[in-house]
Amino acid sequence: MALLHYQNLTAHRPDVLMKKAFFGLKTFYDFLQKTKKYMESDAAVKRLAWKEGSSPIEENGDDNQTCDGVWIQLTEPADRPNEPDTTFRDFLDENNVQIYEVGNSDEQMDGPRRGNVQHFFIKDRSIKVLDRDPENNQLLLEHRPTAPELLLRPNTWPLCCQIKAIKALQNEPETSHLPLLRLFEANDHANWPTVLTEPLDDKDWMELTNEDRPGTDDQRKFVEVALATHDFAFLEGPPGSGKTTAICELVLQLVKQGKRVLLCASTHVAVDNVLERLMDEHNDHRDLVIPVRIGDRRNVSAKARPWQLERFIHTERERLLNELRRQTSPSPSQRSFLSVLSHGKSAIERLVLDASNLVCGTTIGILQHPDIKAGGQTTAAFDVLIVDEASKTTFQEFLVPALLAKRWIIVGDPKQLSPYVDDAAMAVNIEACLQNKDIRNACIDVFLGGHQGQRKRRVAAVATGPDGIRAYLAQGEARGVDVCRAGSDPKAMEISSVVVGLEEELERCIDILPLDTATVRAPDGSLPTLRRRAAAWLRMEGQTKDEQPDWASEIGWRLARLYEQRFAEGVDGGGRQTTAERLHEQVKNLLPVANTESVWREINRVRRVALPSVLESLRYGFERDDNQHQGTALSDGLPKHMLLQRHVLLNFQHRMHPDIAAFSHDHIYNGEALVTPDYIKDKRAWSYSRYGHRAIWLETRGHFNRRFNANKDEARTVLLELRKLDDWARNNPRNDGRPWEAAILTFYRGQEREIRKHLQSWTKSYRAMRHFFRGPRHQPHLIMELCTIDRFQGHEADLVLISIASPHPTSFLESPNRLNVALTRARYQRVVIGNRTGMFDARTKKKGEAQRSVLGGFASLEPWDQALKEVRR
C-alpha cells in the first residue's frame, strides 16, 4: 500500500524514493522506539519533594480563574539537590493530569537512571492536577499530599506523536510532503527547484518600513525569499538582529495573500514574542491577523493570553451572547444562533478555528489543536510552517508540525543553544549499541580506574563469571590500567584499580581489597560487608549515595558536551589538551577493545538523531552514516547552490551597547555577524556610572560547594550589585516610564537557588521564584529576573549579572553556544561575577598568546576589576 502513495507523488522512480525515505527515517524511528520503551519503565519515573505553596493570584496579581484545591511548590529531593530543570518541566507539563505519592514500599532510585526501582502507581496514591504555575514551580492539587515526595509517570505522548509522524511519512506521504522526502535523496539526484524572488514595492512593507536602518535590506530579502520558495527558506541571525521582526513581516505578507500560517517553536517564549509583536495595540496591521494560541493558559504570556484558544472562545462566546441578548427584535437567524450559543461552545469554537489565519504553539503543544487532535496530524492544512528558534529543534521534533504544512521556514541561530539532549534517552540508545553487560561494565570500571587528568580514580570490585573476567582483564591491558584477578598476588590486589573474580573469590579476600573501593558489582544481596565498606568510603568522599557508574550514561553526556564544542576553535595549548580533545580521548577510552568500530558505528547513529538541530542539519549537514556512499540534505546539508537561494544571514544587531557585543562579534561569529550600527552607542547611553566599562568582570573568589553547585560569596556579590542598581534606579526613572530591568543569570540550578534566597529576603517576596521587584508592586522602579542561562534564551534586560559559581572551567561552562547566550542578553551593562583567573590560568599559555578555549579567552580579555571593598569585607 505504501508504494501506491509514492506513485501518486509523481516522483521519478517512486520505489527508490520510498526505499530512501524508509531507511533514512529508520534510524529516527528506532531511536524513538527505544526511548519510548525506557520512558514506560519504572527506571524513568520522576521524583520531586514539595512544600506549601500559595495562589499565584496572591503572589503575582494574576487575574486568572481559581478553583478549589491546594497549591504546592515543587522542590529538589534531599538526596538530589541538583535535580535538573527537565524534571520540574515534566511535572509542570500541561499534559500532566495526575501525580502519585511515594509510599513506604517504594524503593528509591539507585542513580540517575539505573537500578532496581519499583514504584506502586495505585489509585489511592494518585492526586489529580487541577492547575499549574510554571513561573513558581507550583501545582494546584485536588488535595494536600501526605507523603514528603511525589512521583510522576513520564509522558510518552510527544514521543508517540513523533513516531506517528515518521510512520506517516514512510507509509502515507501526501503530495505536499514531497520536499520532505527529498531530504533523503542523494544530493546529486534530488531535484530542488530554483527560487525566483519578486521584490515588493516600498509601499507594501508593513513592519520593515525603515529602509535606512542597518540590516533592513537583509530582512526584506528573507521575506521575499520565504514568499517565493517552493519548499524551504532559512533565516539565521545573532541575538538582537531582528529575526522576530522579520517573522512578523512575513506573517503579515502571508495572511494578506490569504494564506494560513502555522507558527511553532521549541519554547513558549519564542512563540509569544512573535504573537505579542503582531497583536500589539500600536501595530497598524494587527487587524489582518486572526491568531489562535494553542497551549495551557499558564504557559502563555499575559500579553498573548487573550488569543489562547480557550480564553479566545470564552471571550467571543460571551461577546456574541451579550450582543444577541440586547437585540429587542431579533431575526429568526439571530434567535437560532443564540440558541446554538446557549447550548455550549462547540459552535463558536468552530467559528474561531475556521476563521484563524495564524495558529501558534510549541512543536509538540500544537497537537492540542482540536482538529489535529481529532486525527488530522498528517494532513497539510496550513500553507506555511514557520519554526522559530530552530537551532533548538531536532529533526524528529520538527517533523510533527512539518507534516501539517506545504512550505517550511526555518529561523534560528546555530551559535546559540542547541537542542536539549535527554540524558536518559541518549543513554538507553547507546546501551543498545553494546549488548553485553559485562563488557559495558568493564569499559566504564577500567576507564574510571585510570587517572583521568585531575580526577581521582574510582576503584571497583567486581564479582562476575569467566567471560566477564576475561573482558575486564583485556580492557585493563589495552588501557594500561591495573586490573587484578581476585585471589592472586595480595600486594597487586591492594593497589589495583579493579579487582575482578568469581563471587566466592572476592568473598575470601575482602580484607585485602583496596580500602578506597567505591564500586561493588555483584549479585543482589551478596558481599554485604564489602558494600557497607564502599558506602562508608563514599560518605567520607562527600557522596551520600552509591550511584553505580553506567557506561552508556558516561558516554552519552560526553558526546553531548563534545557536540557543544563543535564551534570552538582548537588552539595549541603548549601540550595541554583542549576541551574537545580531552572529551574525544575519553570517549575513545570508554569504547571496548573488541569490535570497537562496529560499536562506534552504532553510537554514531544515535548521535545523528539526538544531537543536531534541523537548522544545523539542513544548513551544514551532520555526518554521513558509515554505510552511506552519497550525501543527502540531512547528512551533508542542502546543495550549496540551492541553499544560497534559500538562506539569509542577518549581520546587524540592535540590542546591546557595542562593548557588550564586541567579544561575541569577534570570537563567536568571527567578525561576520553581530555587527553594531553606529547609532546603538548613543541609544544605549545612560547615567549609571558604577562601572568603568559597559562589559566588565568583577573578580570574586568565593567557596564553591560542589554538592549543591552553589557559591555564597558570589551570591552576596550579586545582591550588593543589585542594591547599588536599586539606589540609582529609584532616583533615575526611565524616560518611557517603564521600570529598569535586571537579569541575574547562572550556569547552575544550585547557584540560582542560592541567589534566590538572598533575593527573597531582600525583597520580602518569600514565595517568588523567578521574578522580583523593588518599589510599589503596581509601579516598581526595578524588576529583576533570576534564571539559568539555558532558560533565558530569547530574553533580554537592561543590566545582566552573570554568576559563574565554579572556580575553574568545566566542559559545561566551556560551551561556546551557552556562553554566547549569556553574553548577549544585556542592553546597557553586563557584569560577570566569578573567579576570573581560575577560568584562564590553567587553560592558557603565556600572557598575550592564543587562548585555548572561548571561556578562557573571554576571561582574559574582558575588562575587569578587583572585588569591591564591600564584597571583600
Side-chain angles (χ1 to χ4, degrees):
M1 289 296 293
L3 184 57
L4 292 177
H5 287 276
Y6 280 85
Q7 288 174 336
N8 290 333
L9 299 179
T10 65
H12 177 66
R13 291 298 304 271
D15 55 328
V16 174
L17 181 60
M18 181 179 70
K19 182 179 178 181
K20 295 283 187 182
F22 178 83
F23 287 105
L25 287 163
K26 186 177 185 301
T27 304
F28 295 92
Y29 180 83
D30 292 344
F31 177 91
L32 294 171
Q33 285 284 29
K34 290 186 180 75
T35 303
K36 179 175 175 288
K37 183 177 180 181
Y38 166 72
M39 295 293 283
E40 292 171 341
S41 71
D42 270 351
V45 170
K46 305 286 186 177
R47 174 169 57 94
L48 285 177
W50 65 277
K51 62 182 181 181
E52 298 291 343
S54 64
S55 169
I57 294 178
E58 298 174 5
E59 189 65 34
N60 300 329
D62 195 349
D63 61 354
N64 282 315
Q65 63 188 30
T66 60
C67 49
D68 294 335
V70 177
W71 282 102
I72 66 161
Q73 191 170 73
L74 301 169
T75 64
E76 295 86 349
D79 62 327
R80 295 176 65 81
N82 296 309
E83 191 68 31
D85 283 334
T86 52
T87 303
F88 290 85
R89 185 185 66 187
D90 290 342
F91 267 81
L92 295 161
D93 188 273
E94 57 197 70
N95 298 304
N96 173 26
V97 296
Q98 66 181 359
I99 56 175
Y100 293 83
E101 297 185 77
V102 171
N104 293 332
S105 55
D106 286 334
E107 297 182 27
Q108 300 302 315
M109 292 188 187
D110 180 16
R113 63 171 222 96
R114 291 289 189 270
N116 297 320
V117 184
Q118 185 177 13
H119 296 297
F120 299 92
F121 295 99
I122 59 178
K123 186 176 180 180
D124 290 345
R125 292 188 195 165
S126 68
I127 306 178
K128 187 176 181 181
V129 177
L130 304 177
D131 201 353
R132 53 199 56 78
D133 174 23
E135 190 69 32
N136 296 304
N137 289 347
Q138 293 195 136
L139 290 176
L140 180 64
L141 303 181
E142 191 174 28
H143 61 80
R144 187 180 186 277
T146 57
E149 294 184 340
L150 303 170
L151 301 175
L152 175 69
R153 275 179 166 171
N155 177 23
T156 59
W157 185 64
L159 294 173
C160 292
C161 292
Q162 294 173 30
I163 291 170
K164 183 178 178 181
I166 287 174
K167 292 172 67 176
L169 193 57
Q170 284 179 322
N171 301 319
E172 301 174 353
E174 297 184 358
T175 304
S176 57
H177 298 153
L178 187 57
L180 294 174
L181 297 170
R182 199 176 292 139
L183 300 175
F184 302 99
E185 290 187 289
N187 277 343
D188 292 341
H189 301 288
N191 181 23
W192 293 99
T194 301
V195 178
L196 300 175
T197 61
E198 294 185 9
L200 294 175
D201 291 335
D202 287 343
K203 61 181 177 58
D204 292 330
W205 295 105
M206 290 175 270
E207 288 282 331
L208 303 174
T209 56
N210 186 358
E211 57 185 333
D212 295 327
R213 187 173 186 261
T216 297
D217 287 345
D218 289 332
Q219 291 173 304
R220 287 183 172 186
K221 179 183 176 183
F222 157 71
V223 173
E224 291 169 347
V225 168
L227 292 174
T229 186
H230 302 286
D231 36 63
F232 293 92
F234 302 88
L235 177 66
E236 284 186 51
S241 59
K243 296 188 294 294
T244 299
T245 304
I247 291 173
C248 290
E249 179 69 61
L250 176 59
V251 170
L252 291 171
Q253 295 292 343
L254 288 168
V255 299
K256 186 179 179 180
Q257 294 179 0
K259 299 289 195 294
R260 294 193 74 207
V261 181
L262 179 61
L263 171 67
C264 290
S266 295
T267 63
H268 294 281
V269 171
V271 174
D272 290 341
N273 281 345
V274 176
L275 184 54
E276 289 174 16
R277 287 281 298 274
L278 283 169
M279 304 311 293
D280 186 276
E281 60 183 11
H282 300 296
N283 188 341
D284 295 334
H285 307 284
R286 58 176 291 182
D287 290 340
L288 287 172
V289 184
I290 304 176
V292 167
R293 174 66 162 92
I294 307 297
D296 185 87
R297 64 189 177 89
R298 294 290 188 183
N299 289 321
V300 179
S301 70
K303 291 183 179 179
R305 205 165 291 162
W307 294 277
Q308 190 260 348
L309 180 60
E310 286 73 24
R311 172 74 73 86
F312 196 3
I313 290 171
H314 174 77
T315 301
E316 289 301 299
R317 181 170 179 268
E318 291 301 311
R319 183 181 64 82
L320 290 170
L321 282 172
N322 291 335
E323 183 66 27
L324 290 170
R325 286 166 180 165
R326 281 200 299 265
Q327 301 299 315
T328 56
S329 300
S331 66
S333 59
Q334 287 175 329
R335 287 195 297 270
S336 176
F337 193 26
L338 177 61
S339 175
V340 170
L341 290 177
S342 300
H343 285 86
K345 65 177 185 178
S346 58
I348 191 64
E349 178 182 83
R350 188 71 266 153
L351 283 173
V352 168
L353 294 175
D354 289 344
S356 62
N357 52 18
L358 174 65
V359 176
C360 314
T362 59
T363 49
I364 294 299
I366 201 70
L367 294 178
Q368 291 295 332
H369 188 290
D371 290 346
I372 300 171
K373 202 172 182 179
Q377 183 182 340
T378 61
T379 301
F382 296 89
D383 296 290
V384 177
L385 165 66
I386 301 174
V387 181
D388 195 9
E389 285 196 342
S391 58
K392 297 176 67 176
T393 305
T394 62
F395 178 76
Q396 57 270 27
E397 291 170 338
F398 159 77
L399 206 56
V400 175
L403 295 187
L404 305 174
K406 303 169 186 175
R407 289 184 283 162
W408 306 273
I409 313 301
I410 312 297
V411 181
D413 179 10
K415 298 297 181 72
Q416 294 190 61
L417 289 175
S418 305
Y420 162 70
V421 178
D422 188 316
D423 291 339
M426 187 85 162
V428 75
N429 278 274
I430 290 175
E431 184 177 279
C433 299
L434 181 56
Q435 298 288 339
N436 190 303
K437 184 178 179 180
D438 285 332
I439 297 178
R440 291 200 304 268
N441 289 340
C443 290
I444 182 59
D445 289 342
V446 169
F447 173 80
L448 294 178
H451 293 280
Q452 303 298 323
Q454 301 300 317
R455 180 176 180 171
K456 189 175 182 179
R457 70 171 188 169
R458 182 176 174 121
V459 179
V462 183
T464 184
D467 290 341
I469 294 172
R470 284 191 289 271
Y472 271 89
L473 293 173
Q475 195 73 18
E477 181 180 1
R479 302 299 182 217
V481 177
D482 292 329
V483 177
C484 181
R485 175 71 184 265
S488 61
D489 183 0
K491 291 185 178 180
M493 290 175 59
E494 289 177 354
I495 61 172
S496 291
S497 296
V498 180
V499 179
V500 61
L502 303 175
E503 181 182 337
E504 55 270 24
E505 292 174 339
L506 281 171
E507 188 71 54
R508 287 195 297 267
C509 60
I510 285 179
D511 292 341
I512 55 176
L513 291 176
L515 294 176
D516 55 349
T517 299
T519 298
V520 178
R521 299 193 189 274
D524 291 343
S526 63
L527 305 178
T529 302
L530 184 57
R531 292 180 190 274
R532 286 194 296 270
R533 200 174 82 185
W537 172 260
L538 287 168
R539 284 194 297 272
M540 289 174 57
E541 292 294 297
Q543 302 180 43
T544 58
K545 196 171 185 179
D546 181 9
E547 297 182 353
Q548 295 285 3
D550 179 78
W551 175 77
S553 296
E554 293 288 335
I555 285 218
W557 76 256
R558 285 177 171 84
L559 290 177
R561 294 289 181 268
L562 187 58
Y563 173 68
E564 291 179 346
Q565 295 293 318
R566 65 197 183 282
F567 293 123
E569 295 184 2
V571 180
D572 181 10
R576 297 190 182 95
Q577 292 178 308
T578 65
T579 300
E581 291 169 344
R582 175 170 53 85
L583 289 169
H584 188 272
E585 181 177 335
Q586 290 177 0
V587 171
K588 180 180 177 181
N589 288 333
L590 277 163
L591 295 175
V593 293
N595 301 318
T596 303
E597 291 186 3
S598 62
V599 172
W600 181 243
R601 187 183 307 118
E602 294 303 313
I603 291 176
N604 258 334
R605 291 196 175 103
V606 175
R607 290 174 62 243
R608 279 190 287 273
V609 174
L611 297 179
S613 69
V614 61
L615 172 60
E616 185 173 358
S617 292
L618 299 183
R619 173 78 169 84
Y620 304 103
F622 190 71
E623 304 177 10
R624 298 183 185 181
D625 189 283
D626 290 344
N627 298 323
Q628 184 180 341
H629 301 297
Q630 294 177 305
T632 66
L634 279 181
S635 66
D636 291 25
L638 284 168
K640 290 184 178 180
H641 65 288
M642 291 303 170
L643 182 63
L644 188 63
Q645 300 172 11
R646 293 163 169 80
H647 175 266
V648 176
L649 172 66
L650 302 181
N651 298 298
F652 291 92
Q653 68 88 14
H654 305 273
R655 171 185 297 168
M656 63 204 88
H657 188 279
D659 292 352
I660 299 173
F663 181 84
S664 288
H665 167 71
D666 293 334
H667 300 279
I668 302 293
Y669 297 97
N670 301 315
E672 298 174 357
L674 208 72
V675 178
T676 304
D678 293 337
Y679 80 92
I680 290 293
K681 188 171 185 178
D682 292 334
K683 184 179 180 180
R684 294 301 178 221
W686 69 342
S687 61
Y688 190 52
S689 57
R690 178 168 175 79
Y691 311 106
H693 198 274
R694 291 303 189 91
I696 195 167
W697 188 301
L698 184 60
E699 178 82 347
T700 305
R701 300 190 182 186
H703 171 70
F704 182 58
N705 186 320
R706 298 182 186 280
R707 170 166 163 71
F708 294 100
N709 284 341
N711 189 317
K712 291 184 178 180
D713 298 288
E714 285 192 22
R716 285 191 285 265
T717 303
V718 166
L719 190 64
L720 173 64
E721 298 308 303
L722 289 172
R723 286 180 180 273
K724 296 296 183 181
L725 177 65
D726 177 52
D727 291 340
W728 173 83
R730 186 184 300 110
N731 301 309
N732 294 271
R734 289 177 60 134
N735 294 331
D736 57 10
R738 294 165 48 208
W740 290 102
E741 300 172 0
I744 308 96
L745 305 183
T746 74
F747 288 86
Y748 302 103
R749 275 188 57 85
Q751 183 67 355
E752 180 188 30
R753 186 170 55 246
E754 181 65 34
I755 296 172
R756 181 181 296 121
K757 290 188 297 184
H758 290 75
L759 286 173
Q760 288 173 339
S761 177
W762 179 42
T763 63
K764 310 302 180 187
S765 299
Y766 295 103
R767 292 193 181 276
M769 297 289 290
R770 181 166 176 173
H771 290 282
F772 302 84
F773 67 92
R774 294 286 293 172
R777 177 180 291 274
H778 299 293
Q779 196 174 3
H781 57 267
L782 174 63
I783 58 176
M784 297 162 285
E785 185 169 2
L786 172 65
C787 199
T788 58
I789 291 165
D790 285 27
R791 286 188 287 125
F792 203 70
Q793 181 167 311
H795 295 269
E796 57 187 270
D798 298 322
L799 181 145
V800 172
L801 300 171
I802 304 170
S803 176
I804 301 293
S806 175
H808 58 78
T810 65
S811 57
F812 182 76
L813 291 174
E814 288 187 326
S815 163
N817 295 51
R818 182 170 290 108
L819 182 64
N820 185 40
V821 171
L823 299 183
T824 54
R825 301 302 101 192
R827 302 186 193 105
Y828 292 86
Q829 180 72 54
R830 182 184 69 215
V831 180
V832 178
I833 298 170
N835 186 342
R836 172 181 171 272
T837 53
M839 293 300 115
F840 72 88
D841 277 354
R843 297 287 180 175
T844 62
K845 297 190 291 180
K846 296 179 181 179
K847 184 178 180 181
E849 295 189 4
Q851 305 299 322
R852 302 192 327 87
S853 73
V854 175
L855 176 62
F858 170 71
S860 64
L861 295 173
E862 184 78 343
W864 68 291
D865 195 0
Q866 293 292 335
L868 302 179
K869 293 180 180 179
E870 298 97 320
V871 179
R872 287 202 294 267
R873 288 203 299 266

